[in-house]
């Protein structure tokens, strides 16, 4: 069976159980046939058990059976709602499955461009998995390129670009954009990943990939018009919380290190977001807006 078809069936099973709660194998099989998942054929128990194991391996989703009713259900639904790899992988595969079934409308589905550097992704994943150092070639914008051996710690996806978090030979943590790599080779040198290192914790105090050593700040922003709804459905940061709401605006508080990535994101909302505090961040935003106005003065 084609891998794409298998993935589509895994996704179908997860979504069906999420939508319907608890189902017996007979009920699940009926829905399987109704949706023509296998040309209208029933869902055999042996197939169900294979899919159940594969779903656990791929997504960490546990499909349990209620002993008294013999109904199946997802016992850890939260794994699909956190901010880790599983929800992203599940979402990506769901979209892939939908589009695979929609070849006839491919010209009516508009996707974002994927930057260069994707060819290094699988190699870097293998090096991370095996704890082997990488020899990378890197070309920053506007400066001469170089080569360096690094210890690959983690990958981070941000604004459609992949970034590698790595430790250098002089024990510094650095971020490398895959689209600026000119080469990547796995070496025979291994390294030891610190047991107490957490990539998620490393980025927890930041928005984006810039991890500058600037002080933590309690940032309060005011969102106008429909922007509060966007921030509610897609928070800027895990620390975001709504602290005040009126008919025409809402205030949100965030605790993070306000790097250029974060300020740029706020600026992208234009006049629909205003920084209320701290005054230092408000001044930074004012300076950025002033600089923009200067560029647009009549010549």
């Amino acid at each position: 069976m084609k891998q794409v078809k298998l993935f589509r069936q895994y996704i179908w099973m997860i979504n069906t159980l999420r939508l319907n709660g608890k189902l017996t194998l007979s009920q699940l099989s009926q829905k399987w046939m109704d949706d023509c998942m296998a040309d209208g054929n029933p869902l055999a128990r042996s197939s169900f058990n294979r899919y159940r194991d594969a779903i656990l391996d791929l997504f960490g989703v546990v499909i349990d059976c209620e002993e008294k009713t013999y109904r199946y259900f997802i016992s850890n639904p939260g794994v699909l709602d956190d901010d880790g790899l599983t929800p992203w992988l599940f979402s990506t595969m769901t979209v892939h499955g939908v589009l695979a079934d929609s070849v006839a409308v491919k010209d009516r589905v508009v996707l974002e461009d994927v930057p260069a550097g994707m060819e290094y992704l699988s190699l870097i994943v293998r090096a991370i998995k095996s704890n082997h150092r990488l020899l990378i070639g890197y070309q920053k914008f506007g400066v001469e390129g170089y080569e360096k051996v690094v210890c690959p710690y983690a990958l981070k996806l941000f604004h459609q670009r992949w970034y590698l978090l790595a430790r250098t030979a002089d024990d510094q943590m650095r971020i490398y954009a895959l689209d600026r790599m000119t080469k990547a080779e796995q070496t025979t040198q291994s390294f030891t990943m610190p047991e107490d290192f957490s990539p998620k914790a490393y980025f927890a105090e930041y928005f984006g990939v810039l991890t500058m050593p600037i002080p933590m700040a309690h940032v309060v922003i005011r969102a106008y018009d429909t922007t509060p709804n966007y921030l509610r459905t897609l928070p800027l940061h895990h620390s975001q919380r709504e602290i005040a709401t009126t008919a025409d605006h809402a205030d949100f508080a965030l605790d993070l290190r306000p790097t250029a990535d974060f300020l740029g994101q706020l600026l992208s909302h234009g006049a629909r977001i205003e920084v209320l505090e701290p005054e230092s961040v408000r001044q930074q935003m004012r300076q950025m807006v002033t600089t923009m106005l200067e560029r647009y003065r009549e010549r």
Side-chain angles (χ1 to χ4, degrees), residues 154-156 158 161-165 175-178 180 209:
L155 284 162
K156 182 176 176 66
F158 179 65
R161 295 178 186 273
W162 282 102
Y163 294 85
L164 170 66
L165 172 65
I175 295 287
Y176 300 96
L178 268 61
R180 279 167 248 167
V209 293

Side-chain angles (χ1 to χ4, degrees), residues 122-139:
S122 59
L123 184 147
I124 292 173
V125 168
R126 289 197 301 271
I128 289 175
K129 185 177 180 180
S130 62
N131 284 341
H132 275 83
R133 299 173 193 265
L134 283 172
L135 169 63
I136 64 170
Y138 202 68
Q139 177 68 66

Side-chain angles (χ1 to χ4, degrees), residues 73-90:
F73 65 99
I74 295 175
S75 62
N76 60 337
V79 74
L80 295 171
D81 297 322
D82 63 23
D83 58 354
L85 176 63
T86 295
W88 179 85
L89 179 61
F90 180 73

Side-chain angles (χ1 to χ4, degrees), residues 60-80:
V61 174
V62 179
I63 299 177
D64 271 335
C65 182
E66 198 172 54
E67 291 185 5
K68 293 184 178 180
T69 64
Y70 295 101
R71 293 188 300 171
Y72 292 92
F73 65 99
I74 295 175
S75 62
N76 60 337
V79 74
L80 295 171

Side-chain angles (χ1 to χ4, degrees), residues 4 7-12 15 18 59 86-103 105-106 109-112 114 160:
V4 171
F7 287 153
R8 191 154 58 244
Q9 291 172 347
Y10 301 157
I11 298 299
W12 177 91
N15 283 334
R18 291 179 81 188
F59 304 108
T86 295
W88 179 85
L89 179 61
F90 180 73
S91 175
T92 299
M93 291 178 67
T94 299
V95 172
H96 185 276
V98 170
L99 295 183
D101 281 336
S102 309
V103 177
V105 297
K106 65 178 182 179
V109 178
V110 182
L111 302 175
E112 293 184 353
V114 177
Q160 294 299 115

Side-chain angles (χ1 to χ4, degrees), residues 97-196:
V98 170
L99 295 183
D101 281 336
S102 309
V103 177
V105 297
K106 65 178 182 179
D107 293 333
R108 296 167 65 179
V109 178
V110 182
L111 302 175
E112 293 184 353
D113 291 336
V114 177
M118 291 294 292
E119 64 269 26
Y120 303 125
L121 191 58
S122 59
L123 184 147
I124 292 173
V125 168
R126 289 197 301 271
I128 289 175
K129 185 177 180 180
S130 62
N131 284 341
H132 275 83
R133 299 173 193 265
L134 283 172
L135 169 63
I136 64 170
Y138 202 68
Q139 177 68 66
K140 289 184 178 181
F141 295 132
V143 299
E144 188 175 349
Y146 60 87
E147 292 188 359
K148 180 170 288 190
V149 174
V150 300
C151 302
Y153 272 29
L155 284 162
K156 182 176 176 66
L157 181 63
F158 179 65
H159 286 175
Q160 294 299 115
R161 295 178 186 273
W162 282 102
Y163 294 85
L164 170 66
L165 172 65
R167 185 176 293 278
T168 61
D170 55 353
D171 205 30
Q172 299 295 312
M173 297 299 291
R174 293 287 183 264
I175 295 287
Y176 300 96
L178 268 61
D179 62 325
R180 279 167 248 167
M181 287 186 183
T182 56
K183 67 181 291 185
E185 298 175 1
Q186 181 174 308
T187 72
T188 57
Q189 299 173 291
S190 61
F191 69 93
T192 301
M193 179 78 172
E195 293 184 2
D196 60 347

